[in-house]
Amino acid sequence: MYRIAVIPGDGTGPEVIREGLKVLKKVGEVFKIDFEFKEFDHGGERYLKTGEVLPDKDLEELKTFDAIYLGAIGHPDVKPGILEKGILLKLRFELDQYINLRPVKLYPNVETPLAGKKPEDIDFVVIRENTEGLYAGIGGFLKKGTADEVAIQEMINTRKGVERCIRFAFEYTRKRNRAKTLTLCAKTNVLTYAHDLWDRVFREISKEYSDVKADYAHVDATTMWMVKNPEWFDVIVTPNMFGDIITDLGAMIQGGMGVAAGANINPGGVSMFEPIGGSAPKYTGKNIINPIASIAAVQMMLDFFGESQAAVSLEKAIIGTVGQLKSMSAGQMGYSTSEVAELVMELISS
Ligand code: IPM
Ligand code: MN
């Protein structure tokens, strides 16, 4: 029995989570896996009503679940940063979900903006460090609002944080067992302290993984190759901010935000699974948003639980479904949000 905390969140979050949960329940029936759910109402609406973002007692309760299933965080009437830092980043940090795993996989019959690229060319995984870097939230202002203003935002890289991320990435690359190539994506030619640490740790750990090819690419070159030669990548490991940026590019080449999912992983704790597209306020309540990303997040959760058969079956169902959609974009799928989930459910079999 798995206990799942559900945070539907803002915008289209609740719609895609509703469909993802239907799919998860169906998988549970077919594969005889029991789930128990508890919903939490954190997000923009609650904040606007009560001023509460993520109270400590809720945070403590969230720590007791087997996983968290999150919709989206971000509300047009709330100043940027409050909900993102107060809920999403707080959960990642407090639950020490130090890995952000983002597969970039083009499914058959899904359109990619990259001319001539096929599913076999776009199939890699980005492992983004998820608790440090520019996201650490350390900094401040001096003489704010004056002509002499100084704004400082520090980038934190700890030996421990870098090492556990890189180690996870080597293990992951080995287990994935494809091209067995791990590329460190950083900026060692400019960030000669912070990324020197990344580079040194990467080389050091690579000695323990002689079966994995250790490669390096600067982040700017990485974006170029993701567009020109995505087939060169197997697994990429990268600091937090670069990971944020290149995974939106990754989402685009795999067919868009409608299909891209991510996992915030603490291998020894509570992990969190989410579609990465955000709250998409303009599509809210219309039943036209693509729920595939949120269903793919369910697949990642099953995989993380070690429910491999269920995860494989769900991926097949996702592939079968996207093949029937006219487009991955909201309002252009040829089906409503709930109809897409129905298609997935029909294709799940043991
Ligand atoms: C993501 C998002 C978040 C991030 C935002 C909402 C804080 O863009 O999960 O990639 O920057 O990590
Ligand atoms: Mn992002």
Side-chain angles (χ1 to χ4, degrees):
M1 147 89 87
Y2 297 102
R3 290 178 63 244
I4 319 284
V6 180
I7 310 177
D10 298 318
T12 50
E15 290 165 63
V16 297
I17 289 299
R18 182 186 67 219
E19 302 309 323
L21 284 175
K22 285 185 201 162
V23 171
L24 183 56
K25 285 174 190 161
K26 169 83 191 202
V27 170
E29 277 164 30
V30 173
F31 289 89
K32 315 248 175 306
I33 309 169
D34 282 335
F35 297 103
E36 190 183 281
F37 301 99
K38 179 165 180 187
E39 198 170 307
F40 291 80
D41 66 349
H42 305 106
E45 296 301 333
R46 171 157 172 187
Y47 173 71
L48 290 171
K49 257 185 241 141
T50 68
E52 280 177 345
V53 185
L54 177 60
D56 286 344
K57 72 166 199 349
D58 294 358
L59 180 63
E60 287 313 309
E61 188 181 351
L62 286 166
K63 289 181 182 167
T64 67
F65 287 84
D66 292 307
I68 300 172
Y69 185 35
L70 175 79
I73 294 295
H75 193 291
D77 302 336
V78 181
K79 190 175 157 225
I82 294 178
L83 302 170
E84 293 85 343
K85 283 175 86 170
I87 302 175
L88 180 62
L89 300 183
K90 187 160 176 187
L91 284 169
R92 288 177 183 170
F93 282 50
E94 293 285 334
L95 300 178
D96 206 19
Q97 295 163 340
Y98 63 86
I99 297 296
N100 194 324
L101 196 66
R102 298 191 167 181
V104 178
K105 187 167 180 177
L106 177 67
Y107 286 130
N109 302 313
V110 171
E111 202 185 333
T112 174
L114 303 187
K117 296 297 178 189
K118 303 200 162 48
E120 56 269 31
D121 301 318
I122 303 176
D123 185 358
F124 60 94
V125 175
V126 177
I127 293 175
R128 163 184 174 190
E129 199 290 321
N130 211 29
T131 53
E132 301 193 340
L134 277 166
Y135 278 69
I138 295 183
F141 299 107
L142 185 68
K143 302 184 184 173
K144 190 175 177 188
T146 72
D148 298 320
E149 176 162 356
V150 180
I152 292 177
Q153 189 105 33
E154 304 260 35
M155 175 165 61
I156 304 301
N157 297 266
T158 68
R159 166 78 204 200
K160 181 181 155 194
V162 172
E163 182 172 336
R164 66 185 182 174
C165 177
I166 287 177
R167 206 170 269 288
F168 181 97
F170 273 105
E171 282 294 327
Y172 188 91
T173 310
R174 175 180 275 172
K175 288 209 193 85
R176 178 171 148 91
N177 198 18
R178 292 177 69 95
K180 287 225 191 160
T181 303
L182 177 62
T183 306
L184 171 63
C185 163
K187 189 75 182 171
T188 54
N189 53 347
V190 175
L191 305 178
T192 52
Y193 311 117
H195 290 187
D196 184 71
L197 174 62
W198 275 82
D199 193 47
R200 271 183 288 124
V201 174
F202 185 69
R203 285 165 200 271
E204 193 184 307
I205 310 274
S206 78
K207 296 200 184 99
E208 297 172 36
Y209 294 85
S210 51
D211 55 324
V212 175
K213 183 174 174 238
D215 209 347
Y216 175 84
H218 290 318
V219 63
D220 46 353
T222 301
T223 62
M224 179 175 80
W225 286 322
M226 278 174 70
V227 171
K228 201 167 171 286
N229 298 98
E231 65 279 6
W232 287 355
F233 294 115
D234 178 20
V235 182
I236 295 175
V237 63
T238 190
N240 209 340
M241 179 60 90
F242 290 174
D244 178 47
I245 298 166
I246 69 170
T247 53
D248 266 25
L249 176 56
M252 285 303 122
I253 68 172
Q254 74 180 121
M257 287 303 183
V259 291
N264 302 273
I265 294 176
N266 175 343
V270 184
S271 297
M272 178 164 72
F273 301 83
E274 53 171 344
I276 76 169
S279 57
K282 67 177 175 186
Y283 299 125
T284 303
K286 299 195 165 128
N287 201 29
I288 58 169
I289 192 89
N290 190 342
I292 289 293
S294 135
I295 295 169
V298 165
Q299 182 215 328
M300 294 185 81
M301 187 191 298
L302 291 165
D303 198 49
F304 178 77
F305 285 154
E307 301 288 351
S308 324
Q309 264 187 305
V312 168
S313 163
L314 180 51
E315 182 171 38
K316 282 195 191 128
I318 290 173
I319 292 172
T321 300
V322 293
Q324 299 177 55
L325 307 187
K326 287 205 193 84
S327 155
M328 292 303 121
S329 307
Q332 295 165 41
M333 302 184 290
Y335 296 90
S336 69
T337 307
S338 26
E339 283 167 347
V340 172
E342 288 293 332
L343 292 176
V344 174
M345 284 188 277
E346 277 163 26
L347 291 173
I348 293 168
S349 60
S350 56

